[in-house]
Amino acid sequence: IANYCKTLALIEKGKVKWFFNETEIKDDANHKITTKNLQRQLTIKSGTTADSGLYAVRTDDDERTTDIVVKGKRRARVL
């Protein structure tokens, strides 16, 4: 799952923080946070339905939010 955000941050290398349901997200085995110019990206490497919720990217100058719904995979049916 990749969530892209272009922020209105005045400084390209300013502080950027990602949040999931108001809890800060840090780089770890399942989350990758990248910045290129003013584009901010959060990648969830192995998304599950538990990753559904409100995501926010915050800088000193701006905040962007999006609601993401992760649907589970369907299991193959054996007939």
Side-chain angles (χ1 to χ4, degrees):
I1 302 166
N3 186 8
Y4 299 91
C5 255
K6 191 166 187 178
T7 65
L8 298 176
L10 300 177
I11 301 171
E12 290 181 15
K13 297 189 185 217
K15 285 185 181 179
V16 176
K17 292 184 179 182
W18 282 90
F19 295 85
F20 171 63
N21 293 333
E22 297 300 322
T23 300
E24 187 175 355
I25 300 170
K26 303 275 188 180
D27 265 331
D28 60 25
N30 197 41
H31 299 94
K32 182 179 179 185
I33 297 170
T34 55
T35 299
K36 182 179 180 183
N37 300 320
L38 295 180
Q39 182 173 320
R40 314 322 190 180
Q41 180 177 335
L42 168 66
T43 303
I44 302 170
K45 297 174 185 174
S46 296
T48 67
T49 55
D51 294 305
S52 295
L54 182 66
Y55 287 82
V57 59
R58 296 179 185 148
T59 67
D60 292 337
D61 304 316
D62 194 20
E63 178 179 359
R64 303 294 169 134
T65 61
T66 187
D67 222 354
I68 293 180
V69 176
V70 180
K71 295 184 179 182
K73 294 180 181 178
R74 292 186 181 181
R75 294 183 181 188
R77 288 181 21 184
V78 178
L79 300 175

XYZ file of all heavy atoms in Angstrom:
633
model
N 0.861 -1.159 0.000
C 0.000 0.000 0.000
C 0.902 1.215 0.000
O 1.786 1.308 0.839
C -0.899 0.035 1.246
C -1.746 -1.222 1.327
C -1.750 1.275 1.257
C -2.397 -1.408 2.671
N 0.699 2.114 -0.932
C 1.495 3.347 -0.961
C 0.557 4.534 -0.871
O -0.461 4.589 -1.551
C 2.332 3.421 -2.224
N 0.886 5.468 -0.027
C 0.105 6.681 0.148
C 1.009 7.860 -0.188
O 2.011 8.073 0.473
C -0.393 6.773 1.594
C -1.338 7.929 1.813
O -1.748 8.592 0.878
N -1.680 8.182 3.044
N 0.663 8.583 -1.255
C 1.466 9.720 -1.687
C 0.793 11.009 -1.249
O -0.422 11.134 -1.324
C 1.584 9.756 -3.219
C 2.232 8.552 -3.804
C 1.486 7.458 -4.198
C 3.609 8.509 -3.979
C 2.087 6.355 -4.750
C 4.215 7.404 -4.537
C 3.444 6.330 -4.925
O 4.045 5.237 -5.474
N 1.577 11.967 -0.828
C 1.053 13.273 -0.451
C 2.009 14.347 -0.921
O 3.207 14.238 -0.710
C 0.935 13.382 1.064
S -0.737 13.248 1.629
N 1.496 15.369 -1.563
C 2.311 16.535 -1.880
C 1.914 17.604 -0.884
O 0.764 18.013 -0.821
C 2.065 17.001 -3.305
C 3.068 18.038 -3.755
C 3.009 18.234 -5.241
C 4.120 19.146 -5.682
N 4.133 19.327 -7.117
N 2.869 18.025 -0.068
C 2.555 18.990 0.972
C 2.900 20.395 0.520
O 3.597 20.593 -0.468
C 3.338 18.687 2.264
O 4.724 18.872 2.011
C 3.072 17.287 2.760
N 2.421 21.356 1.258
C 2.704 22.753 0.983
C 3.839 23.254 1.866
O 3.974 24.443 2.099
C 1.446 23.602 1.219
C 0.271 23.273 0.326
C -0.938 24.112 0.714
C 0.613 23.488 -1.131
N 4.651 22.331 2.353
C 5.771 22.714 3.211
C 6.671 23.699 2.476
O 6.975 23.519 1.311
C 6.572 21.487 3.614
N 7.070 24.739 3.161
C 7.906 25.761 2.534
C 9.352 25.308 2.405
O 10.087 25.822 1.577
C 7.828 27.054 3.345
C 6.425 27.648 3.465
C 6.450 28.884 4.353
C 5.862 27.987 2.095
N 9.762 24.341 3.210
C 11.143 23.862 3.175
C 11.102 22.380 2.805
O 10.471 21.577 3.485
C 11.822 24.042 4.544
C 11.805 25.510 4.940
C 13.243 23.503 4.523
C 12.251 25.754 6.368
N 11.795 22.022 1.714
C 11.764 20.639 1.250
C 12.278 19.663 2.289
O 11.828 18.540 2.364
C 12.583 20.496 -0.034
C 11.937 21.156 -1.221
C 12.743 20.983 -2.488
O 13.647 20.138 -2.526
O 12.451 21.703 -3.448
N 13.243 20.053 3.090
C 13.826 19.135 4.060
C 13.307 19.389 5.471
O 13.941 19.025 6.446
C 15.347 19.235 4.002
C 15.871 18.802 2.660
C 17.356 18.693 2.630
C 17.757 18.385 1.201
N 18.830 17.506 1.049
N 12.153 20.023 5.597
C 11.575 20.271 6.909
C 11.091 18.986 7.561
O 11.055 17.925 6.952
N 10.720 19.094 8.822
C 10.223 17.934 9.562
C 8.942 17.413 8.937
O 8.018 18.185 8.661
C 9.944 18.307 11.001
C 11.160 18.475 11.853
C 10.736 18.723 13.291
C 11.923 18.925 14.194
N 11.502 19.189 15.572
N 8.884 16.109 8.757
C 7.693 15.449 8.223
C 7.378 14.278 9.139
O 8.258 13.480 9.457
C 7.924 14.922 6.791
C 6.704 14.167 6.303
C 8.255 16.061 5.855
N 6.133 14.209 9.578
C 5.708 13.100 10.430
C 4.430 12.505 9.865
O 3.531 13.230 9.441
C 5.461 13.573 11.862
C 6.727 13.993 12.587
C 6.429 14.361 14.023
C 7.705 14.746 14.755
N 7.437 15.053 16.161
N 4.363 11.183 9.868
C 3.168 10.450 9.450
C 2.467 9.915 10.693
O 3.109 9.508 11.661
C 3.549 9.283 8.550
C 3.859 9.678 7.147
C 5.083 10.026 6.646
C 2.938 9.763 6.067
N 4.965 10.332 5.313
C 3.665 10.170 4.927
C 1.576 9.540 5.933
C 3.068 10.352 3.684
C 0.986 9.715 4.691
C 1.722 10.114 3.587
N 1.120 9.876 10.617
C 0.306 9.384 11.724
C -0.756 8.416 11.212
O -1.276 8.588 10.110
C -0.391 10.547 12.441
C 0.572 11.481 13.115
C 1.176 12.512 12.415
C 0.882 11.325 14.458
C 2.081 13.373 13.023
C 1.778 12.170 15.083
C 2.382 13.196 14.367
N -1.057 7.419 12.027
C -2.153 6.490 11.763
C -3.077 6.562 12.965
O -2.680 6.233 14.086
C -1.619 5.064 11.580
C -2.692 4.020 11.528
C -3.627 4.016 10.510
C -2.774 3.039 12.501
C -4.623 3.049 10.461
C -3.755 2.074 12.467
C -4.685 2.080 11.434
N -4.301 7.044 12.741
C -5.266 7.224 13.834
C -4.628 7.960 15.009
O -4.746 7.550 16.166
C -5.857 5.889 14.279
C -6.725 5.270 13.205
O -7.301 5.956 12.372
N -6.796 3.958 13.195
N -3.903 9.042 14.708
C -3.261 9.933 15.677
C -2.027 9.350 16.366
O -1.465 9.967 17.263
C -4.263 10.434 16.732
C -5.388 11.269 16.149
C -4.877 12.533 15.438
O -3.921 13.166 15.911
O -5.456 12.882 14.403
N -1.577 8.159 15.965
C -0.348 7.575 16.501
C 0.754 7.745 15.468
O 0.575 7.368 14.306
C -0.540 6.073 16.809
O -1.590 5.935 17.772
C 0.730 5.445 17.351
N 1.900 8.284 15.885
C 2.975 8.534 14.937
C 3.534 7.218 14.381
O 3.718 6.253 15.110
C 4.105 9.324 15.595
C 5.168 9.738 14.598
C 6.242 10.632 15.178
O 6.133 11.025 16.357
O 7.180 10.947 14.441
N 3.798 7.223 13.070
C 4.379 6.080 12.379
C 5.863 6.357 12.185
O 6.245 7.439 11.750
C 3.716 5.873 10.999
C 2.222 5.619 11.150
C 4.398 4.734 10.247
C 1.469 5.658 9.835
N 6.680 5.379 12.472
C 8.129 5.476 12.272
C 8.552 4.441 11.228
O 7.860 3.440 11.022
C 8.873 5.188 13.583
C 8.494 6.092 14.730
C 9.283 7.348 14.698
C 9.019 8.166 15.971
N 9.742 9.376 16.021
N 9.696 4.695 10.585
C 10.270 3.682 9.697
C 10.507 2.415 10.496
O 11.085 2.450 11.584
C 11.622 4.160 9.146
C 11.500 4.836 7.785
O 10.576 4.503 7.021
O 12.347 5.673 7.487
N 10.029 1.284 9.979
C 10.284 0.000 10.622
C 10.188 -1.090 9.560
O 10.174 -0.799 8.365
C 9.317 -0.238 11.799
C 7.849 -0.243 11.406
O 7.529 -0.533 10.239
O 7.001 0.021 12.278
N 10.106 -2.332 9.977
C 10.086 -3.451 9.035
C 8.877 -3.408 8.091
O 8.942 -3.911 6.975
C 10.110 -4.769 9.794
N 7.771 -2.791 8.527
C 6.562 -2.767 7.707
C 6.232 -1.396 7.127
O 5.347 -1.287 6.285
C 5.368 -3.284 8.527
C 4.199 -3.663 7.650
O 4.364 -4.261 6.594
N 3.005 -3.311 8.076
N 6.911 -0.341 7.543
C 6.615 1.020 7.074
C 7.872 1.680 6.517
O 8.914 1.667 7.171
C 6.091 1.891 8.222
C 4.829 1.377 8.819
N 4.825 0.562 9.924
C 3.538 1.537 8.465
C 3.570 0.255 10.224
N 2.775 0.832 9.360
N 7.746 2.243 5.323
C 8.857 2.980 4.721
C 8.378 4.397 4.442
O 7.369 4.605 3.772
C 9.311 2.303 3.433
C 10.486 3.007 2.788
C 10.928 2.289 1.538
C 12.089 3.053 0.916
N 12.482 2.461 -0.354
N 9.107 5.381 4.964
C 8.770 6.793 4.776
C 9.851 7.421 3.908
O 11.035 7.330 4.217
C 8.672 7.511 6.130
C 7.539 6.896 6.961
C 8.460 9.009 5.934
C 7.496 7.355 8.396
N 9.425 8.041 2.794
C 10.379 8.684 1.891
C 9.909 10.089 1.547
O 8.718 10.395 1.608
C 10.566 7.876 0.592
O 9.292 7.669 -0.018
C 11.214 6.536 0.852
N 10.870 10.923 1.174
C 10.594 12.303 0.781
C 11.406 12.605 -0.467
O 12.595 12.311 -0.523
C 10.999 13.281 1.893
O 10.235 12.983 3.060
C 10.735 14.722 1.491
N 10.738 13.168 -1.472
C 11.418 13.623 -2.679
C 10.835 14.976 -3.025
O 9.656 15.080 -3.372
C 11.222 12.645 -3.832
C 11.964 13.058 -5.086
C 11.778 12.058 -6.203
C 12.533 12.524 -7.440
N 12.314 11.601 -8.556
N 11.667 16.010 -2.895
C 11.206 17.387 -3.068
C 10.051 17.643 -2.109
O 10.206 17.467 -0.918
C 10.846 17.670 -4.524
C 12.017 17.463 -5.457
O 13.141 17.824 -5.131
N 11.775 16.864 -6.596
N 8.884 18.010 -2.609
C 7.735 18.243 -1.728
C 6.801 17.039 -1.662
O 5.764 17.093 -1.015
C 6.959 19.476 -2.195
C 7.717 20.798 -2.108
C 6.836 21.937 -2.589
C 8.210 21.071 -0.701
N 7.154 15.934 -2.339
C 6.312 14.744 -2.314
C 6.729 13.855 -1.158
O 7.889 13.511 -1.000
C 6.424 13.963 -3.622
C 5.525 12.742 -3.632
C 5.509 12.065 -4.975
O 5.489 12.723 -6.002
N 5.520 10.763 -4.976
N 5.760 13.497 -0.322
C 5.989 12.623 0.831
C 5.304 11.296 0.540
O 4.200 11.275 0.008
C 5.393 13.189 2.111
C 5.620 14.645 2.429
C 6.947 15.207 2.099
N 7.060 16.557 2.684
C 8.122 17.301 2.552
N 9.147 16.884 1.880
N 8.165 18.484 3.108
N 5.943 10.186 0.902
C 5.350 8.882 0.643
C 5.490 7.982 1.852
O 6.558 7.883 2.455
C 6.014 8.204 -0.553
C 5.435 6.841 -0.859
C 6.057 6.209 -2.078
O 6.559 6.895 -2.961
N 6.040 4.896 -2.139
N 4.381 7.319 2.177
C 4.366 6.272 3.191
C 4.025 4.979 2.467
O 3.017 4.910 1.768
C 3.312 6.555 4.264
C 3.009 5.406 5.215
C 4.223 5.093 6.093
C 1.795 5.721 6.078
N 4.866 3.966 2.614
C 4.607 2.658 2.024
C 4.436 1.653 3.150
O 5.281 1.551 4.036
C 5.768 2.213 1.116
O 5.964 3.209 0.103
C 5.468 0.879 0.456
N 3.312 0.934 3.110
C 3.064 -0.154 4.046
C 3.358 -1.428 3.271
O 2.674 -1.743 2.298
C 1.619 -0.134 4.563
C 1.327 1.211 5.242
C 1.371 -1.300 5.517
C -0.123 1.431 5.564
N 4.380 -2.141 3.681
C 4.879 -3.267 2.901
C 3.933 -4.463 2.904
O 3.795 -5.141 1.893
C 6.266 -3.659 3.391
C 7.278 -2.531 3.189
C 8.614 -2.855 3.787
C 9.541 -1.655 3.667
N 10.804 -1.881 4.356
N 3.300 -4.749 4.018
C 2.365 -5.883 4.116
C 1.076 -5.391 4.754
O 0.878 -5.525 5.959
C 2.965 -7.010 4.949
O 4.105 -7.538 4.327
N 0.208 -4.812 3.954
C -1.033 -4.246 4.473
C -2.060 -5.310 4.820
O -2.172 -6.328 4.142
N -2.773 -5.081 5.913
C -3.877 -5.948 6.324
C -5.072 -5.053 6.643
O -4.958 -3.832 6.657
C -3.519 -6.776 7.583
O -3.386 -5.877 8.692
C -2.244 -7.576 7.384
N -6.191 -5.666 6.938
C -7.375 -4.882 7.276
C -7.146 -4.025 8.518
O -7.780 -2.995 8.686
C -8.599 -5.791 7.484
O -8.289 -6.783 8.468
C -9.005 -6.480 6.187
N -6.198 -4.428 9.383
C -5.879 -3.639 10.581
C -5.238 -2.303 10.221
O -5.176 -1.400 11.050
C -4.961 -4.431 11.502
N -4.768 -2.156 8.970
C -4.165 -0.901 8.523
C -5.202 0.095 8.005
O -4.848 1.189 7.565
C -3.121 -1.178 7.428
C -1.940 -1.960 7.972
O -1.337 -1.496 8.958
O -1.624 -3.025 7.419
N -6.466 -0.258 8.053
C -7.531 0.667 7.655
C -7.671 1.757 8.708
O -7.617 1.471 9.908
C -8.873 -0.071 7.528
O -8.820 -1.017 6.489
N -7.827 2.995 8.265
C -8.015 4.088 9.209
C -7.601 5.420 8.635
O -7.397 5.567 7.431
N -7.451 6.394 9.505
C -7.119 7.758 9.107
C -5.607 7.952 9.135
O -4.968 7.755 10.170
C -7.785 8.768 10.042
C -7.558 10.233 9.693
C -8.229 10.580 8.370
C -8.075 11.129 10.792
N -5.050 8.344 8.001
C -3.619 8.635 7.879
C -3.439 10.123 7.704
O -4.234 10.783 7.025
C -3.016 7.895 6.680
C -2.865 6.418 6.923
C -3.948 5.561 6.762
C -1.663 5.892 7.354
C -3.825 4.205 7.007
C -1.531 4.530 7.601
C -2.616 3.702 7.428
O -2.488 2.359 7.680
N -2.398 10.651 8.323
C -2.096 12.082 8.207
C -0.600 12.246 8.015
O 0.194 11.493 8.587
C -2.542 12.833 9.456
N -0.221 13.230 7.192
C 1.168 13.639 7.067
C 1.208 15.089 7.522
O 0.398 15.907 7.090
C 1.735 13.441 5.646
C 0.961 14.211 4.607
C 3.216 13.801 5.600
N 2.121 15.387 8.433
C 2.183 16.728 9.016
C 3.582 17.307 8.867
O 4.582 16.617 9.069
C 1.820 16.685 10.494
C 0.398 16.254 10.737
C 0.052 16.195 12.202
N -1.298 15.659 12.352
C -1.694 14.940 13.375
N -0.855 14.683 14.360
N -2.918 14.482 13.437
N 3.620 18.589 8.538
C 4.854 19.359 8.531
C 4.605 20.580 9.407
O 3.497 20.765 9.924
C 5.240 19.822 7.110
O 4.275 20.762 6.648
C 5.315 18.655 6.138
N 5.599 21.427 9.547
C 5.403 22.648 10.326
C 4.381 23.572 9.673
O 3.733 24.365 10.347
C 6.729 23.397 10.482
C 7.710 22.636 11.358
O 7.279 21.799 12.182
O 8.925 22.865 11.212
N 4.219 23.463 8.345
C 3.372 24.391 7.592
C 2.069 23.801 7.072
O 1.235 24.533 6.545
C 4.144 24.920 6.365
C 5.440 25.575 6.749
O 5.447 26.341 7.726
O 6.453 25.315 6.077
N 1.895 22.485 7.141
C 0.778 21.869 6.429
C 0.396 20.543 7.079
O 1.186 19.931 7.787
C 1.200 21.633 4.971
C 0.050 21.310 4.044
O -1.111 21.621 4.381
O 0.309 20.756 2.961
N -0.828 20.109 6.819
C -1.294 18.785 7.218
C -2.233 18.274 6.144
O -3.111 19.001 5.677
C -2.031 18.827 8.554
C -2.571 17.474 8.960
C -3.285 17.470 10.295
O -3.370 18.513 10.944
O -3.756 16.388 10.687
N -2.035 17.022 5.755
C -2.910 16.360 4.791
C -3.386 15.062 5.401
O -2.620 14.351 6.049
C -2.168 16.056 3.474
C -1.559 17.257 2.796
C -2.645 18.197 2.311
N -2.088 19.455 1.883
C -2.416 20.059 0.763
N -3.312 19.527 -0.041
N -1.888 21.228 0.462
N -4.669 14.727 5.197
C -5.218 13.482 5.745
C -5.940 12.704 4.656
O -6.400 13.276 3.666
C -6.208 13.759 6.898
O -7.292 14.527 6.395
C -5.536 14.468 8.046
N -6.032 11.410 4.869
C -6.802 10.550 3.978
C -7.278 9.342 4.773
O -6.596 8.884 5.690
C -5.970 10.100 2.750
O -6.812 9.404 1.838
C -4.804 9.220 3.148
N -8.442 8.871 4.427
C -9.011 7.673 5.047
C -8.740 6.502 4.110
O -9.081 6.573 2.928
C -10.514 7.862 5.221
C -11.021 7.356 6.545
O -10.247 6.751 7.295
O -12.210 7.563 6.828
N -8.127 5.450 4.603
C -7.790 4.297 3.771
C -8.511 3.070 4.311
O -8.531 2.823 5.521
C -6.266 4.066 3.754
C -5.600 5.234 3.024
C -5.920 2.733 3.097
C -4.108 5.146 2.938
N -9.113 2.304 3.390
C -9.775 1.051 3.738
C -9.024 -0.072 3.038
O -8.885 -0.058 1.816
C -11.258 1.047 3.305
C -11.892 -0.300 3.591
C -12.017 2.168 3.988
N -8.531 -1.024 3.820
C -7.835 -2.186 3.269
C -8.806 -3.348 3.329
O -9.293 -3.706 4.401
C -6.562 -2.515 4.071
C -5.867 -3.732 3.483
C -5.632 -1.313 4.112
N -9.093 -3.918 2.171
C -10.003 -5.059 2.112
C -9.179 -6.342 2.130
O -8.111 -6.401 1.534
C -10.858 -4.998 0.857
C -11.794 -3.793 0.873
C -12.681 -3.796 -0.319
C -13.623 -2.593 -0.250
N -14.545 -2.568 -1.371
N -9.678 -7.346 2.823
C -8.969 -8.623 2.911
C -8.969 -9.362 1.590
O -9.807 -9.126 0.715
N -8.019 -10.261 1.450
C -7.945 -11.097 0.251
C -9.014 -12.170 0.338
O -9.316 -12.698 1.398
C -6.573 -11.751 0.152
C -5.460 -10.772 -0.067
C -4.144 -11.510 -0.162
C -3.012 -10.542 -0.361
N -1.725 -11.221 -0.416
N -9.555 -12.480 -0.803
C -10.531 -13.581 -0.848
C -9.796 -14.901 -0.928
O -8.813 -15.033 -1.646
C -11.446 -13.423 -2.058
C -12.359 -12.245 -1.953
C -13.303 -12.235 -3.091
N -14.160 -11.073 -2.999
C -15.118 -10.801 -3.847
N -15.336 -11.597 -4.865
N -15.854 -9.737 -3.696
N -10.297 -15.857 -0.214
C -9.711 -17.196 -0.274
C -10.280 -17.941 -1.453
O -11.459 -17.793 -1.780
C -9.995 -17.959 1.012
C -9.329 -17.366 2.203
C -9.582 -18.204 3.406
N -8.948 -17.626 4.568
C -8.870 -18.217 5.724
N -9.401 -19.401 5.885
N -8.272 -17.635 6.726
N -9.430 -18.743 -2.073
C -9.905 -19.570 -3.186
C -10.859 -20.634 -2.645
O -10.619 -21.211 -1.583
C -8.728 -20.227 -3.885
N -11.927 -20.845 -3.366
C -12.889 -21.871 -2.961
C -12.585 -23.165 -3.698
O -12.323 -23.146 -4.891
C -14.311 -21.425 -3.280
C -14.782 -20.347 -2.369
C -16.167 -19.867 -2.609
N -17.012 -20.787 -3.340
C -18.240 -20.501 -3.707
N -18.775 -19.346 -3.421
N -18.969 -21.366 -4.375
N -12.608 -24.244 -2.996
C -12.396 -25.562 -3.613
C -13.761 -26.167 -3.827
O -14.548 -26.307 -2.897
C -11.517 -26.450 -2.709
C -11.364 -27.836 -3.349
C -10.192 -25.788 -2.455
N -14.048 -26.533 -5.076
C -15.356 -27.137 -5.395
C -15.223 -28.599 -5.652
O -14.273 -29.123 -6.092
C -15.967 -26.445 -6.620
C -16.209 -24.941 -6.455
C -16.697 -24.363 -7.767
C -17.222 -24.689 -5.362
